[in-house]
Amino acid sequence: MAGGEAAAEGSEVTGLHNGRDVFEYALLKVVPRVERGEMINAGVVVYCRARGFVEARTHLDEARLLALDPTVDVAGVRAALGAVEGICEGGERAGQAAGDDAGRRFRWLIAPRSTIVQPGPVHTGLTADPTAEAERLVELLVR
């Protein structure tokens, strides 16, 4: 085996790439009127299998949301975003998903749905710190 092949094999075994782990993320979009297709980004869900990590970070810009639909139920949207955060946290807030591992909770949260809060497509990357990555992504893509 060439040196590069051995290095590639080693990274597959450990999941590490120069000290970083593979992670996946999806944006959380708020679509107040599905028939119009208008949306705002309101959060991000980050999952890192190697660390058993799943976390949601949310930020709702009420002014932007109300500009899309002045009659939207803002409290209902906040509750839906809070439920996503609770599922990620696990425990009592996760409800029936409390016993599921991080990967299963992430997959359930990113499943396509036609509700007011919808997940976007899944993207991947490498990170040494999934918590910091979640904050970086919410700052970059949501706020």
Side-chain angles (χ1 to χ4, degrees), residues 20 23-25 27 43-46 53 55-58 123-143:
R20 299 176 299 166
F23 76 96
E24 300 173 68
Y25 73 94
L27 281 169
V44 63
V45 181
V46 174
F53 175 92
E55 183 173 285
R57 295 282 177 99
T58 64
H123 305 279
T124 61
L126 296 172
T127 187
D129 183 350
T131 301
E133 197 65 45
E135 186 59 32
R136 183 187 77 79
L137 289 168
V138 81
E139 285 295 325
L140 178 69
L141 304 171
V142 178
R143 292 192 175 128

Side-chain angles (χ1 to χ4, degrees), residues 48-96:
C48 180
R49 178 179 169 206
R51 300 194 186 195
F53 175 92
V54 65
E55 183 173 285
R57 295 282 177 99
T58 64
H59 172 78
L60 184 60
D61 185 331
E62 288 185 28
R64 288 182 63 211
L65 180 59
L66 290 167
L68 294 179
D69 182 0
T71 66
V72 68
D73 177 5
V74 175
V77 171
R78 284 200 181 283
L81 292 169
V84 171
E85 291 172 337
I87 290 167
C88 288
E89 288 174 14
E92 264 183 52
R93 286 193 65 199
Q96 291 182 325

